[in-house]
Amino acid sequence: MSEVQLPPLFQGEAVPGAIDPFERATALAVAGTDAGTVVYNLTGNVFKASLIFTPEMPLEPAMTALPVCGLGLQAALGALAPPEVAVHLQWDGGMRVNGALCGRFRVKASTAQPAEEPDWLVVGLELNMASSDGNPGDAPDRTYLSEEGCAEITATDLLEAWVRHTLYWINRWLEDGPQPVHTDWRALAQNMGEQIDVDGLSGTFVGVDEHFGLLLRVDGDTKLIPLSSRLET
């Protein structure tokens, strides 16, 4: 595996398969490690990488880091994958390739209080590179990059492209506000305008608010489910 090349101001830490990069990144964030640290494991069938943020804003607007990382991944796959590969993003962090679930984003922060500024926020990515059982068709709603014409993409290339494109979207977010993120994310949002189930509620996914809280139309009323409710504890 070639050496990982990250953009300036980013620093990487590779971990072995026995260590979860998301938990390692969280531990580093708690210890005060700088923003821009990327913890990754590129050796298994599941690509795993996590990025540390130190947002200078309250938690709820800081949660925009989650869709920002999703846009970074879509752009990375757009650059590396064949043009017929379609990538869509679920509001809760799920990531779909050609309609089937291929991975997920995770997020954790130093606080769960929406109005409080977190000391740190970690976004983790897990992406199915290849099937470990040899029978990927046994789960038709789950897929792997290797089954979608992306077998030539290496984990190193994917990590470098994800961080590079995520940096672009971080800069757009910080310089231009959330509107550009909203515009591009809505074009990739899975199930927009469709019936979905969230937290025991069933309704129509009609959109998101300015901080990417989910707007769910239930029996004529619109309910708001904050994106911070997806934080892992």
Side-chain angles (χ1 to χ4, degrees):
M1 183 173 61
S2 59
E3 183 179 352
V4 173
Q5 301 292 325
L6 298 177
L9 304 181
F10 283 82
Q11 50 279 339
E13 178 180 314
V15 295
I19 297 177
D20 181 357
F22 187 70
E23 297 303 329
R24 173 60 177 164
T26 299
L28 289 173
V30 171
T33 300
D34 291 340
T37 298
V38 185
V39 184
Y40 56 87
N41 174 14
L42 309 181
T43 59
N45 289 325
V46 179
F47 169 97
K48 296 181 178 181
S50 294
L51 177 58
I52 297 175
F53 292 81
T54 54
E56 296 181 355
M57 62 184 73
L59 174 64
E60 207 60 57
M63 290 295 298
T64 301
L66 181 60
V68 159
C69 287
L71 289 175
L73 177 62
Q74 188 277 334
L77 288 174
L80 297 172
E84 64 271 16
V85 173
V87 177
H88 289 90
L89 305 172
Q90 294 182 183
W91 172 78
D92 63 0
M95 195 281 292
R96 291 183 174 265
V97 173
N98 293 336
L101 192 65
C102 191
R104 65 165 180 159
F105 286 93
R106 308 167 63 185
V107 60
K108 186 180 288 190
S110 62
T111 180
Q113 300 302 314
E116 186 175 321
E117 184 176 304
D119 296 325
W120 52 265
L121 185 147
V122 174
V123 176
L125 169 60
E126 298 174 358
L127 192 61
N128 300 330
M129 299 293 287
S131 173
S132 59
D133 59 16
N135 295 297
D138 289 348
D141 193 47
R142 181 173 298 275
T143 193
Y144 308 83
L145 289 185
S146 62
E147 300 298 316
E148 302 296 339
C150 303
E152 302 299 319
I153 298 177
T154 70
T156 299
D157 287 343
L158 183 59
L159 177 66
E160 292 176 348
W162 178 52
V163 174
R164 186 169 63 252
H165 287 284
T166 297
L167 174 60
Y168 166 82
W169 275 107
I170 291 171
N171 289 334
R172 286 288 306 275
W173 172 31
L174 296 180
E175 293 172 5
D176 301 328
Q179 187 57 49
V181 184
H182 270 263
T183 299
D184 280 50
W185 183 88
R186 286 178 64 89
L188 302 170
Q190 182 78 10
N191 301 126
M192 184 81 77
E194 299 177 6
Q195 193 83 3
I196 61 172
D197 297 319
V198 182
D199 296 346
L201 296 172
S202 181
T204 302
F205 177 18
V206 295
V208 293
D209 74 353
E210 66 272 21
H211 301 316
F212 286 89
L214 185 141
L215 300 173
L216 191 70
R217 182 68 58 80
V218 181
D219 297 329
D221 294 328
T222 300
K223 299 184 180 297
L224 171 65
I225 303 176
L227 188 55
S228 59
S229 65
R230 304 303 101 178
L231 282 171
E232 296 189 16
T233 57

